[in-house]
Amino acid sequence: GAVVSQHPSWVICKSGTSVKIECRSLDFQATTMFWYRQFPKQSLMLMATSNEGSKATYEQGVEKDKFLINHASLTLSTLTVTSAHPEDSSFYICSARDLAGEAYNEQFFGPGTRLTVL
Amino acid sequence: GQQVMQIPQYQHVQEGEDFTTYCNSSTTLSNIQWYKQRPGGHPVFLIQLVKSGEVKKQKRLTFQFGEAKKNSSLHITATQTTDVGTYFCAGRNNQGGKLIFGQGTELSVKP
């Protein structure tokens, strides 16, 4: 089955530093990858949609200069949280849509990255 | 914007009891998906419903998509402790293709 990996699985950083999270589709090509954020006991909130080779589309209220997204290939997207602050602490989850499964529209989720900013 | 509402937020049941979570969209959906997230884990795809009035079954789980394609439900018969987790519905509207998640229903099962 389709597998999406994320790295790192957890990270602790000091306030003001930047953190990069990688999302990879391991056995399929993903034209589109999505980045979600989930606070404890809450739902997944879509942050941005990332298309390979083009600029990401950010949801309303998400600062594009703070959450930098790069989708350099059909199997890799990165999210960089710049100048992280404690309020950025959250569970970040990426999701990828299978190129071959466009008609089916299934999205496969990565295991998530738990970010804690001290 | 599009909203997907899900109720209840929490459900505590005795093992063997049934469980249902309901999902309602403010707009007509092209399809709806259901996910299960175990504590500490990530969402895992369960099923997708596309057709108006569609009903699909997976063992003890029954998924329904409303005739108007604006609501959906997930029913679990005779819950087991392995059913514990948060169940999310996620709808995709006819424009843009974004998957909008409901708030989720956290199910706990008492043995």
Side-chain angles (χ1 to χ4, degrees):
Chain A
V3 178
V4 176
S5 71
Q6 267 184 255
H7 179 79
S9 56
W10 59 271
V11 57
I12 301 173
C13 68
K14 292 182 179 180
S15 184
T17 60
S18 295
V19 175
K20 179 185 282 190
I21 302 170
E22 291 186 350
C23 176
R24 293 180 184 274
S25 56
L26 298 185
D27 52 1
F28 68 99
Q29 292 183 320
T31 50
T32 307
M33 288 185 173
F34 305 87
W35 287 95
Y36 294 84
R37 181 167 53 184
Q38 186 179 36
F39 292 106
K41 299 290 186 179
Q42 293 189 24
S43 186
L44 284 78
M45 299 301 297
L46 181 64
M47 299 175 66
T49 301
S50 168
N51 292 299
E52 185 263 340
S54 63
K55 290 183 179 181
T57 302
Y58 290 81
E59 293 300 302
Q60 191 173 10
V62 179
E63 301 175 56
K64 61 180 181 181
D65 294 330
K66 181 171 181 60
F67 298 99
L68 301 178
I69 292 173
N70 183 275
H71 195 156
S73 75
L74 286 173
T75 59
L76 173 64
S77 177
T78 61
L79 166 68
T80 301
V81 183
T82 62
S83 187
H85 289 94
E87 57 266 30
D88 298 324
S89 299
S90 186
F91 192 47
Y92 292 87
I93 310 174
C94 73
S95 173
R97 188 182 292 174
D98 188 346
L99 179 67
E102 282 288 350
Y104 193 65
N105 282 325
E106 182 173 345
Q107 283 181 214
F108 301 94
F109 284 82
T113 297
R114 193 163 301 280
L115 170 64
T116 301
V117 184
L118 303 176
Chain B
Q2 180 192 3
Q3 288 187 326
V4 177
M5 307 299 292
Q6 194 174 350
I7 58 169
Q9 187 175 1
Y10 302 98
Q11 186 76 57
H12 309 287
V13 301
Q14 193 77 33
E15 188 172 23
E17 292 181 339
D18 292 355
F19 158 77
T20 305
T21 173
Y22 301 90
C23 191
N24 189 61
S25 170
S26 58
T27 60
T28 301
L29 301 170
S30 62
N31 62 69
I32 194 161
Q33 300 177 3
W34 285 90
Y35 292 82
K36 178 182 178 180
Q37 185 177 23
R38 293 182 183 274
H42 64 281
V44 174
F45 175 83
L46 294 177
I47 208 162
Q48 175 175 268
L49 304 172
V50 179
K51 299 177 182 177
S52 169
E54 189 170 13
V55 177
K56 287 188 176 181
K57 291 190 176 184
Q58 289 180 351
K59 297 182 180 178
R60 294 178 294 105
L61 278 61
T62 301
F63 304 85
Q64 292 187 332
F65 200 11
E67 293 290 340
K69 300 184 72 173
K70 296 180 72 174
N71 56 68
S72 182
S73 66
L74 158 60
H75 179 81
I76 302 178
T77 304
T79 55
Q80 300 175 358
T81 54
T82 53
D83 295 326
V84 165
T86 300
Y87 292 85
F88 291 98
C89 63
R92 181 173 281 117
N93 61 18
N94 292 310
Q95 302 169 355
K98 293 186 297 185
L99 205 57
I100 305 300
F101 280 77
Q103 296 92 329
T105 296
E106 183 178 344
L107 172 65
S108 63
V109 180
K110 187 176 181 180

